[in-house]
Amino acid sequence: MKWIYEFSEGSREQRELLGGKGANVAEMTRVLGADRVPGGFTITTEACVAYMEAGRSAPDGLNDQVDEALAALEHRAAKRLGDAGDPLLVSVRSGARVSMPGMLDTVLNLGLNDESVAGLARHTGDGRFAWDAYRRFVQMFGNVVHGIAAADFESELREARERAVVEADTELGAAALRELTESFKRLFEERTGDPFPSEPRRQLEQAISAVFDSWDTERAVAYRRINGIPDNWGTAVNVQQMVFGNRGESSGSGVAFSRDERTGAPTPSGDFLANAQGEDVVAGTRNPEDLDALAERLPEAHRQLLDDLATLERHYGDMQDVEFTIEEGRLFLLQTRSAKRPAQAAVRFARDAVAEGLLTREAALMTIDVDSLDALLHPVFDPEFEYEPLTTGVAASPGAARGAIVLSAAEAVRRAADGDDVILVRRFTEAEDVAGFYAARGILTAEGGKASHAALVARGMGRPCVAGASELTIDEGAGIVRVRETELAAGEEIMIEGSTGAVTLDEVPLVEPEIGEAFGEILRWSDELRRLGVRANADRAEDAARARALGAEGIGLCRTEHMFFGPDRAELVRAMFVAAERWRRSELAARTDGDAVRAGLDRARADYRASLERLGELQRADFVAILHEMRGLPVTVRLLDPPLHEFLPLEHFESELRALGRSGDPDRLRAAAEAIEIVRDLEESNPMLGTRGIRLGILYPQIYEMQVRALIGAAAEATEAGDMPRVEIMLPLIAYETELRQVRARVVAAAEEAKREAGREVPYSVGTMIELPRACLVAGAIAEHADFLSFGTNDLTQTAIGLSRDDVEGSFIPTYLERRIIDRSPFETIDGPGVGELVRIGAERGRAANPTLKCGICGEHGGDPASIRLFASIGLDYVSCSPYRVPIGRVAAAQAAIS
């Protein structure tokens, strides 16, 4: 097995094998020449994987191949590793196939010992440089390879400065550095029980193992979780000849970008430290200068650097991030990679690269990290401002907000009506809190995750949300929030950052979103290139207007139940369901029990119809407003879906009965007691799989008929106003084709009656939401009665995998991620082999039975770039996501079409 490639053998196409750094160093050697890039070799990612699988033991043949590659490097350099006369020194660096900045380990100056340091001093004529290199090596080797705390070395270094009465490390002389190196070696032996290894080959073997081991450090694992990097990729190891930026004032090290890394402007930028090695630049212990200072100090090296940056950017077709060292006036480039940059820089570069002829539109779009675009759509904490975090939670919905703490939705509504900015703080949220979401600037919960109720609703409304801040203790009765020893009263102000999960008491400046011309052009290109439609999930006219402004091509999911949860409607909805159940029970009893029961039936029917009529008026007004905002575009309206317990909380009715008990009104007491009996009878042990969706439409068909009449009446009104409505009626939670056939017939009858009453022709279609595995498998039979299928992947994930979305994010999902059972939460990115395959089966079988069938997605996955790629490959017609994810969906869909 070939475990090692010399830099001259590799290329950028071998990223999976050589890692990003190894592949790019090899490519840079080919482009710029060996004179510019110090020589070396790469140990492959396959070697790392084999090392891990062997229980952290070198795979067969690796050590022999290291010896051969080292001998070849020594031959080219005309030096030997650790030679006492003129030693070859090397760096040992990590290199995963994707950049993981700061997550993996590096060792510099390897090969020094008590003999070779003297040879280095003699050869360079600079004892201070030699001993500075040696102390750095002992320090890094002890920290990286043997886990000795960096603070312990820093303490020794601070004492050395105090003894020498100097402020900076660079002011320490050769004698002081020699004494410091001996102190470091004594510290090493105290902490490890062994003397510092002096044999260079042993040093190299330990360093290689340490870099392999760094793949599994806590910080690296956490970074992979956040960025969706598989655990089985491993890291390569790059062994490279050292060049030295700490050889005096004509030397230095730095990092340079081919363009401004913050804005994307076509001006190279970066940091430079004179008389320093690379770790000094990234450690932040000295203040660097910018590249203009390099132009003044070493103009020829600066000119060469700018030329090389331009060459590499043209060659790679992307903005480059380069590490460089200047040794006594001679420039060396140590690595290059595509630059990490914020969203505004990404879109500026893409737009400019096309204008400059550097890239095609397709290639430019593929340079954009789509997830980063969220920052262009929401205010965020100023990244330059330092603040003290109070606690952190899950970054559940992007954006930042400041406001007074409120502990209930009702209080949020009241204070917002008075003009106050508020943050709704809850242990967890429920459907009845929706009015508080509308009123609040942001939401903070102690429980839940990215797929919790709070997160889903917040993203849909464009509200910042931090969920699962487990250090929060909320005492709603006392009006107190506690975070460890800190106690906050309701009304005190906090700030949350939903893009990072941060919570703070500090007043952090906010950076407002900027879409700008560059992003607008990127979106126009995306629309021209993508094949997948992008709609929005929107339940209010304001959401619809925002979605349309952000480029939505319609509404893929309008959840009518969210219209029921407003502060002026909750009581009416509760009364409607109680009346509906009274009427249903009275109707059953009247078949056998005679006139007395029929009198009760008449009263129940009258109450039920009155509730339906009032709700119908409210829904019609809602629909008119939404259809107006989306004029000419399709609007998919899902009829009532949630389980009954969300509308009929037992504690509300019990509280009402207690309050009535003091009034002594016997009729009202009797009605309240009967309502409690009904609610208790309707309680279910697993309501999410109980009486909801189409089952509500079968048990209480008048509710669906009311909604359809309201919708068609609104569409007729919109037609009269010239809004050209395109209405799609969606029936949720279908399991059996017979359910759809029966309920569709009643829906069509109600729609036709409403059209006749309006005296206008209103085009509409009727389809269904696919949320159950059985529905995917029998999609062909279902499609015979449907004009469209919309896959509700939130619930489909729950029912296919057997997960409760609101519970698992804070319970076992983190453990599953930690133990590598899964790479990503299936509520963030769709489970391709399982849930994704069900979507594929459903779409294929549905279209086979009904070739004109439209198929789309309306779960949160519709705004996830990785999931969008899968949906595009299946050939769906559209995805639907929260309004603020629409631009991201547009670019992701274009990238899917390109790739």
Side-chain angles (χ1 to χ4, degrees):
M1 185 74 174
K2 184 175 175 64
W3 301 118
I4 291 179
Y5 289 76
E6 295 183 12
F7 290 167
S8 59
E9 295 181 279
S11 72
R12 64 175 172 175
E13 283 75 27
Q14 294 175 291
R15 174 178 290 270
E16 293 185 8
L17 181 66
L18 304 180
K21 188 174 298 181
N24 283 335
V25 170
E27 188 75 11
M28 194 164 57
T29 301
R30 296 154 70 97
V31 173
L32 300 179
D35 289 343
R36 184 73 85 222
V37 184
F41 56 89
T42 299
I43 304 172
T44 66
T45 57
E46 291 176 347
C48 177
V49 173
Y51 170 90
M52 294 296 182
E53 290 176 347
R56 301 181 188 273
S57 178
D60 291 343
L62 176 59
N63 288 330
D64 290 341
Q65 291 184 36
V66 170
D67 289 338
E68 293 172 8
L70 180 60
L73 177 60
E74 289 174 331
H75 177 74
R76 286 193 302 274
K79 296 181 179 184
R80 292 182 62 244
L81 184 69
D83 182 70
D86 179 15
L88 169 69
L89 304 182
V90 297
S91 63
V92 182
R93 298 171 181 261
S94 62
R97 67 172 76 173
V98 296
S99 179
M100 295 174 60
M103 295 299 107
L104 306 177
D105 285 332
T106 294
V107 176
L108 304 181
N109 302 334
L110 188 143
L112 282 170
N113 55 30
D114 293 348
E115 290 75 33
S116 59
V117 70
L120 184 64
R122 285 193 303 272
H123 181 76
T124 61
D126 189 342
R128 188 206 173 278
F129 155 70
W131 282 101
D132 184 44
Y134 193 12
R135 73 90 184 167
R136 290 170 183 268
F137 171 53
V138 176
Q139 182 175 359
M140 292 190 78
F141 192 89
N143 174 243
V144 169
V145 179
H146 289 274
I148 301 171
D152 293 345
F153 288 109
E154 288 299 326
S155 177
E156 296 281 348
L157 185 55
R158 185 171 55 252
E159 290 178 11
R161 290 195 298 266
E162 290 172 355
R163 285 194 300 271
V165 196
V166 298
E167 292 186 3
D169 302 348
T170 53
E171 297 176 90
L172 293 172
L177 289 167
R178 180 172 188 164
E179 182 181 346
L180 177 62
T181 304
E182 294 302 322
S183 297
F184 282 177
K185 288 163 66 181
R186 285 193 296 273
L187 175 64
F188 182 95
E189 188 164 0
E190 289 171 9
R191 295 289 188 272
T192 67
D194 294 312
F196 189 81
S198 60
E199 205 285 306
R201 185 61 182 81
R202 184 173 168 222
Q203 295 172 354
L204 180 59
E205 184 177 328
Q206 291 187 27
I208 291 169
S209 294
V211 174
F212 281 160
D213 290 340
S214 70
W215 179 253
D216 263 350
T217 59
E218 186 175 335
R219 67 176 184 271
V221 170
Y223 186 90
R224 293 202 296 275
R225 293 286 171 273
I226 294 168
N227 292 279
I229 300 171
D231 290 319
N232 61 0
W233 280 4
T235 179
V237 178
N238 298 284
V239 178
Q240 188 171 30
Q241 180 178 354
M242 284 293 303
V243 289
F244 300 96
N246 55 338
R247 293 288 301 272
E249 292 304 309
S250 64
S251 302
S253 296
V255 175
F257 298 87
S258 59
R259 304 193 183 216
D260 189 293
E261 75 277 17
R262 293 162 302 173
T263 67
T267 305
S269 63
D271 292 331
F272 169 74
L273 270 177
N275 194 20
Q277 286 196 296
E279 76 267 25
D280 297 320
V281 180
V282 297
T285 54
R286 291 171 58 188
N287 292 328
E289 301 174 283
D290 61 26
L291 291 188
D292 290 339
L294 175 60
E296 296 176 9
R297 285 176 175 271
L298 300 166
E300 179 58 20
H302 179 263
R303 183 193 64 77
Q304 292 173 348
L305 176 62
L306 295 193
D307 287 347
D308 289 346
L309 287 171
T311 298
L312 290 170
E313 184 178 272
R314 283 195 303 273
H315 181 75
Y316 280 95
D318 200 1
M319 185 173 152
Q320 293 298 291
D321 169 2
V322 170
E323 291 183 18
F324 67 92
T325 288
I326 300 169
E327 182 177 346
E328 296 186 316
R330 183 179 174 187
L331 174 68
F332 294 93
L333 301 191
L334 308 181
Q335 75 158 317
T336 189
R337 60 190 174 195
S338 293
K340 297 275 187 182
R341 61 266 203 185
Q344 62 267 30
V347 298
R348 169 78 183 268
F349 170 76
R351 193 271 309 267
D352 289 355
V354 173
E356 295 165 13
L358 178 66
L359 296 174
T360 64
R361 293 187 309 172
E362 291 84 351
L365 281 172
M366 296 304 290
T367 68
I368 296 172
D369 175 6
V370 187
D371 280 318
S372 73
L373 298 178
D374 244 349
L376 297 178
L377 305 169
H378 305 271
V380 295
F381 282 2
D382 185 343
E384 304 297 323
F385 188 87
E386 293 186 7
Y387 63 90
E388 183 70 27
L390 173 66
T391 188
T392 58
V394 176
S397 181
R402 180 180 184 85
I405 295 171
V406 294
L407 302 181
S408 71
E411 181 68 4
V413 171
R414 187 188 66 77
R415 291 201 56 171
D418 292 337
D420 296 333
D421 292 339
V422 298
I423 303 293
L424 178 60
V425 181
R426 305 281 283 158
R427 186 163 68 89
F428 57 86
T429 63
E430 300 177 281
E432 286 204 334
D433 292 320
V434 167
F437 279 71
Y438 289 142
R441 292 291 184 182
I443 296 90
L444 170 63
T445 69
E447 298 176 8
K450 288 185 178 179
S452 64
H453 173 271
L456 295 176
V457 177
R459 286 197 292 272
M461 295 183 184
R463 298 290 191 274
C465 176
V466 175
S470 56
E471 291 182 319
L472 283 180
T473 302
I474 300 166
D475 186 339
E476 189 172 345
I480 295 294
V481 175
R482 296 182 182 88
V483 181
R484 299 183 303 275
E485 294 79 25
T486 302
E487 187 171 285
L488 304 171
E492 291 190 55
E493 289 204 335
I494 58 170
M495 293 193 76
I496 64 170
E497 165 57 285
S499 305
T500 63
V503 183
T504 183
L505 300 178
D506 295 348
E507 192 165 347
V508 184
L510 299 183
V511 177
E512 291 300 319
E514 294 181 10
I515 291 183
E517 292 182 8
F519 192 21
E521 191 157 0
I522 296 300
L523 291 172
R524 286 192 292 275
W525 298 346
S526 298
D527 293 342
E528 292 172 13
L529 293 167
R530 63 185 168 87
R531 295 188 292 271
L532 195 64
V534 181
R535 299 187 188 183
N537 304 336
D539 314 320
R540 302 179 304 157
E542 305 96 291
D543 299 330
R546 185 178 300 113
R548 183 161 192 152
L550 292 171
E553 297 168 312
I555 292 177
L557 176 62
C558 175
R559 294 157 288 206
T560 54
E561 64 272 8
H562 284 185
M563 301 171 179
F564 285 4
F565 290 122
D568 58 335
R569 306 182 184 192
E571 191 60 45
L572 183 60
V573 171
R574 284 191 284 267
M576 178 192 71
F577 274 109
V578 170
E581 186 61 16
R582 280 180 178 144
W583 175 78
R584 192 175 73 88
R585 294 180 181 200
S586 297
E587 188 176 47
L588 291 173
R591 295 173 185 172
T592 57
D593 294 347
D595 294 339
V597 173
R598 289 192 181 91
L601 172 62
D602 292 339
R603 287 194 300 273
R605 183 188 292 116
D607 291 343
Y608 187 23
R609 285 177 172 171
S611 298
L612 288 171
E613 186 175 344
R614 178 66 185 124
L615 270 175
E617 293 170 359
L618 294 171
Q619 288 239 289
R620 176 169 174 151
D622 292 333
F623 292 142
V624 166
I626 290 172
L627 292 172
H628 173 70
E629 295 296 345
M630 300 305 290
R631 48 197 174 277
L633 296 177
V635 175
T636 305
V637 176
R638 182 180 74 187
L639 302 188
L640 203 61
D641 180 47
L644 282 175
H645 80 283
E646 292 193 9
F647 301 104
L648 302 173
L650 180 61
E651 59 272 17
H652 168 82
F653 290 91
E654 290 176 335
S655 173
E656 190 175 65
L657 180 61
R658 286 193 296 271
L660 286 172
R662 293 189 291 271
S663 74
D665 185 330
D667 290 336
R668 295 182 66 192
L669 279 169
R670 199 163 35 248
E674 183 187 0
I676 288 176
E677 181 184 352
I678 288 173
V679 171
R680 283 178 175 157
D681 287 345
L682 291 174
E683 279 190 314
E684 297 174 308
S685 58
N686 193 350
M688 292 305 291
L689 295 178
T691 308
R692 55 168 292 207
I694 196 75
R695 299 155 193 172
L696 286 172
I698 289 172
L699 288 179
Y700 310 107
Q702 299 81 9
I703 296 177
Y704 273 17
E705 290 167 354
M706 172 272 291
Q707 291 190 294
V708 171
R709 284 194 297 270
L711 177 57
I712 297 300
E717 189 174 330
T719 300
E720 188 173 355
D723 288 340
M724 297 178 294
R726 294 169 56 189
V727 172
E728 299 177 349
I729 302 169
M730 184 158 68
L731 304 175
L733 207 74
I734 295 291
Y736 299 94
E737 61 273 22
T738 46
E739 292 174 318
L740 179 58
R741 186 177 69 244
Q742 290 184 18
V743 176
R744 179 189 173 107
R746 298 195 70 143
V747 163
V748 169
E752 293 302 317
E753 181 184 349
K755 285 166 58 176
R756 286 192 296 272
E757 290 176 359
R760 284 191 173 274
E761 180 58 36
V762 177
Y764 66 92
S765 58
V766 181
T768 184
M769 196 168 181
I770 303 293
E771 302 160 88
L772 299 172
R774 187 184 193 279
C776 295
L777 298 176
V778 299
I782 289 172
E784 293 177 6
H785 311 286
D787 302 314
F788 63 88
L789 301 183
S790 180
F791 293 88
T793 53
N794 295 344
D795 277 351
L796 186 57
T797 296
Q798 293 193 98
T799 56
I801 307 178
L803 301 176
S804 169
R805 181 180 63 214
D806 290 334
D807 297 326
V808 300
E809 291 283 357
S811 55
F812 64 82
I813 286 292
T815 302
Y816 270 45
L817 291 168
E818 180 183 342
R819 296 187 182 179
R820 305 172 190 176
I821 296 171
I822 56 176
D823 290 324
R824 296 289 292 273
S825 166
F827 294 108
E828 293 178 37
T829 296
I830 197 160
D831 164 44
V835 181
E837 187 61 19
L838 285 172
V839 173
R840 186 186 303 277
I841 289 169
E844 288 176 353
R845 293 182 181 181
R847 285 170 169 164
N850 180 354
T852 64
L853 188 74
K854 284 194 304 183
C855 294
I857 291 288
C858 62
E860 278 293 300
H861 298 106
D864 172 63
S867 302
I868 287 172
R869 288 194 293 273
L870 175 66
F871 301 145
S873 74
I874 292 172
L876 299 184
D877 296 299
Y878 66 87
V879 296
S880 188
C881 55
S882 60
Y884 281 103
R885 297 292 290 183
V886 166
I888 293 167
R890 292 162 67 188
V891 179
Q895 289 184 340
I898 293 165
S899 62

